[in-house]
Amino acid sequence: MQLLKLIYKNAFRHKLRTFLTIAGISIAILSFGLLRTVISAWYVGVEASSANRLVTRNSISLIFPLPISYKDKIRQIDGVTNVSYGNWFGGIYIDEKNFFANFAVEPESYLKLYPEYVLPPDQKAAFLRDRKGFFAGRKLAEKYNWKLGDTVVLKGTIFPGEWDFVLRAIYKGRDKNIDETQFIFHWDYLNETMKKIAPLRADQVGFYMISIKNPALAADVSVAVDKTFKNSLAETLTETEKAFQLSFISMSEAIVIAIQMVSFVVIIIIMAVMANTMAMSARERFGEYAVFKTLGFGGAYIAGLIFGESLFITSIGCILGIILTFPAAQAFGSAMSQFFPVFNVSVKTIYLDIASSLVVGITAAIIPSYRAVSIRIADGLRRIG
């Protein structure tokens, strides 16, 4: 108890320096937490992937379509329990700055494949009945103040023209990491329109989504699907949903690495600041440490005072930084919702914040402790007065 009291007194002996150091640590932890949350948001699609789902696309590139006739052949492969399909629509709502993901899918099989999109039963039935209907995520509907029954017009980029849709359902994510900003409509509506305006582009899909009995069958089913369409006009590439998502992440891997490096640089900088603070504090007290030694206190006691003071200061800064991270992340997520539809501070990020502050606190106290423990009593007493 006496040791803790001394640590507390020592920490606030020079109040201005201590408060400035705590402020610096808080800002560093806040910055570190936000950067780690950005990285987590980058991988949110990967984390939400199911091990029971595969994605089949054209082996050349995702931009090349596949025939709709592949659907029935895929269903006949052992291990496959359900097949759905869709196209990336790429529509624009009013202005290009209003970007959100919009897909045309076969609705019944798609909703069975993705139970994490939770729709009220009556709204789901209304959506399935209406060929021009669509369902949107809660966040997307709130952002544009859409109500059930509203007509929404998207300007096609990949599929030309202006397309009218009627909002029939609003979904919520079953889990926190589910994207609630998607716009999903009937593939039949897209296909029937294409038959009228561009018949050569009809009856084609951008990708197939496949559910399998057991994740252990993923490799065998993937090989079987690709083997079925080998040497055809449109050969396929089948991979797990997680691998499919990671292929997109790999395109921006350099950015993710840069953000990771910056997050660690922030911690290194604050570590230098904290080390400087502890070095100054210890140097001012060499005379006191000499008195402690004279009274019979050992090196472990003196080192405990310095390590305790360092960890006490970094802990306060860490707690304040973590508390500030949540409102900052909420504001950042709202401002950047177009790019990060899911922006939540994860438990892992909190653990990283705590681990970082511990590393800073311990590292900053090592050299001052060594100097305080190793100084001779006579040299220390000369500094008094």
PDB file of all heavy atoms in Angstrom, residues 362-372:
ATOM      1  N   ILE A 362       6.337  -0.251 -19.914  1.00  0.00           N
ATOM      2  CA  ILE A 362       7.468  -1.081 -19.459  1.00  0.00           C
ATOM      3  C   ILE A 362       8.773  -0.638 -20.127  1.00  0.00           C
ATOM      4  O   ILE A 362       9.797  -0.471 -19.472  1.00  0.00           O
ATOM      5  CB  ILE A 362       7.172  -2.569 -19.749  1.00  0.00           C
ATOM      6  CG1 ILE A 362       6.024  -3.059 -18.861  1.00  0.00           C
ATOM      7  CG2 ILE A 362       8.413  -3.429 -19.517  1.00  0.00           C
ATOM      8  CD1 ILE A 362       5.511  -4.438 -19.213  1.00  0.00           C
ATOM      9  N   THR A 363       8.702  -0.424 -21.453  1.00  0.00           N
ATOM     10  CA  THR A 363       9.913  -0.049 -22.183  1.00  0.00           C
ATOM     11  C   THR A 363      10.468   1.289 -21.694  1.00  0.00           C
ATOM     12  O   THR A 363      11.694   1.461 -21.549  1.00  0.00           O
ATOM     13  CB  THR A 363       9.607   0.024 -23.689  1.00  0.00           C
ATOM     14  OG1 THR A 363       9.033  -1.205 -24.110  1.00  0.00           O
ATOM     15  CG2 THR A 363      10.872   0.295 -24.486  1.00  0.00           C
ATOM     16  N   ALA A 364       9.563   2.246 -21.445  1.00  0.00           N
ATOM     17  CA  ALA A 364      10.003   3.592 -21.035  1.00  0.00           C
ATOM     18  C   ALA A 364      10.692   3.579 -19.673  1.00  0.00           C
ATOM     19  O   ALA A 364      11.482   4.487 -19.358  1.00  0.00           O
ATOM     20  CB  ALA A 364       8.799   4.531 -20.995  1.00  0.00           C
ATOM     21  N   ALA A 365      10.428   2.564 -18.852  1.00  0.00           N
ATOM     22  CA  ALA A 365      10.986   2.539 -17.487  1.00  0.00           C
ATOM     23  C   ALA A 365      12.283   1.732 -17.386  1.00  0.00           C
ATOM     24  O   ALA A 365      12.944   1.779 -16.337  1.00  0.00           O
ATOM     25  CB  ALA A 365       9.943   1.956 -16.528  1.00  0.00           C
ATOM     26  N   ILE A 366      12.657   1.032 -18.438  1.00  0.00           N
ATOM     27  CA  ILE A 366      13.810   0.123 -18.327  1.00  0.00           C
ATOM     28  C   ILE A 366      15.111   0.882 -18.046  1.00  0.00           C
ATOM     29  O   ILE A 366      15.814   0.615 -17.051  1.00  0.00           O
ATOM     30  CB  ILE A 366      13.937  -0.729 -19.612  1.00  0.00           C
ATOM     31  CG1 ILE A 366      12.772  -1.726 -19.693  1.00  0.00           C
ATOM     32  CG2 ILE A 366      15.270  -1.483 -19.616  1.00  0.00           C
ATOM     33  CD1 ILE A 366      12.743  -2.529 -20.981  1.00  0.00           C
ATOM     34  N   ILE A 367      15.458   1.848 -18.894  1.00  0.00           N
ATOM     35  CA  ILE A 367      16.742   2.561 -18.739  1.00  0.00           C
ATOM     36  C   ILE A 367      16.771   3.416 -17.465  1.00  0.00           C
ATOM     37  O   ILE A 367      17.754   3.370 -16.703  1.00  0.00           O
ATOM     38  CB  ILE A 367      17.035   3.400 -20.001  1.00  0.00           C
ATOM     39  CG1 ILE A 367      17.269   2.451 -21.183  1.00  0.00           C
ATOM     40  CG2 ILE A 367      18.245   4.307 -19.786  1.00  0.00           C
ATOM     41  CD1 ILE A 367      17.538   3.153 -22.500  1.00  0.00           C
ATOM     42  N   PRO A 368      15.696   4.215 -17.180  1.00  0.00           N
ATOM     43  CA  PRO A 368      15.718   4.973 -15.911  1.00  0.00           C
ATOM     44  C   PRO A 368      15.868   4.057 -14.689  1.00  0.00           C
ATOM     45  O   PRO A 368      16.567   4.408 -13.729  1.00  0.00           O
ATOM     46  CB  PRO A 368      14.357   5.683 -15.907  1.00  0.00           C
ATOM     47  CG  PRO A 368      13.987   5.804 -17.338  1.00  0.00           C
ATOM     48  CD  PRO A 368      14.522   4.577 -18.002  1.00  0.00           C
ATOM     49  N   SER A 369      15.223   2.891 -14.716  1.00  0.00           N
ATOM     50  CA  SER A 369      15.339   1.965 -13.586  1.00  0.00           C
ATOM     51  C   SER A 369      16.771   1.451 -13.451  1.00  0.00           C
ATOM     52  O   SER A 369      17.320   1.368 -12.341  1.00  0.00           O
ATOM     53  CB  SER A 369      14.379   0.779 -13.770  1.00  0.00           C
ATOM     54  OG  SER A 369      13.055   1.212 -13.762  1.00  0.00           O
ATOM     55  N   TYR A 370      17.373   1.102 -14.567  1.00  0.00           N
ATOM     56  CA  TYR A 370      18.744   0.596 -14.526  1.00  0.00           C
ATOM     57  C   TYR A 370      19.693   1.645 -13.951  1.00  0.00           C
ATOM     58  O   TYR A 370      20.544   1.335 -13.093  1.00  0.00           O
ATOM     59  CB  TYR A 370      19.180   0.205 -15.949  1.00  0.00           C
ATOM     60  CG  TYR A 370      20.644  -0.148 -16.051  1.00  0.00           C
ATOM     61  CD1 TYR A 370      21.108  -1.381 -15.585  1.00  0.00           C
ATOM     62  CD2 TYR A 370      21.561   0.757 -16.585  1.00  0.00           C
ATOM     63  CE1 TYR A 370      22.460  -1.690 -15.650  1.00  0.00           C
ATOM     64  CE2 TYR A 370      22.901   0.454 -16.660  1.00  0.00           C
ATOM     65  CZ  TYR A 370      23.344  -0.782 -16.191  1.00  0.00           C
ATOM     66  OH  TYR A 370      24.692  -1.075 -16.243  1.00  0.00           O
ATOM     67  N   ARG A 371      19.524   2.902 -14.387  1.00  0.00           N
ATOM     68  CA  ARG A 371      20.408   3.966 -13.895  1.00  0.00           C
ATOM     69  C   ARG A 371      20.167   4.229 -12.405  1.00  0.00           C
ATOM     70  O   ARG A 371      21.105   4.463 -11.649  1.00  0.00           O
ATOM     71  CB  ARG A 371      20.180   5.241 -14.700  1.00  0.00           C
ATOM     72  CG  ARG A 371      20.593   5.105 -16.170  1.00  0.00           C
ATOM     73  CD  ARG A 371      20.499   6.428 -16.869  1.00  0.00           C
ATOM     74  NE  ARG A 371      21.425   7.406 -16.279  1.00  0.00           N
ATOM     75  CZ  ARG A 371      21.389   8.705 -16.532  1.00  0.00           C
ATOM     76  NH1 ARG A 371      20.468   9.171 -17.365  1.00  0.00           N
ATOM     77  NH2 ARG A 371      22.242   9.511 -15.973  1.00  0.00           N
ATOM     78  N   ALA A 372      18.900   4.192 -11.985  1.00  0.00           N
ATOM     79  CA  ALA A 372      18.595   4.460 -10.573  1.00  0.00           C
ATOM     80  C   ALA A 372      19.120   3.337  -9.677  1.00  0.00           C
ATOM     81  O   ALA A 372      19.621   3.594  -8.571  1.00  0.00           O
ATOM     82  CB  ALA A 372      17.080   4.608 -10.389  1.00  0.00           C
TER      83      ALA A 372
END
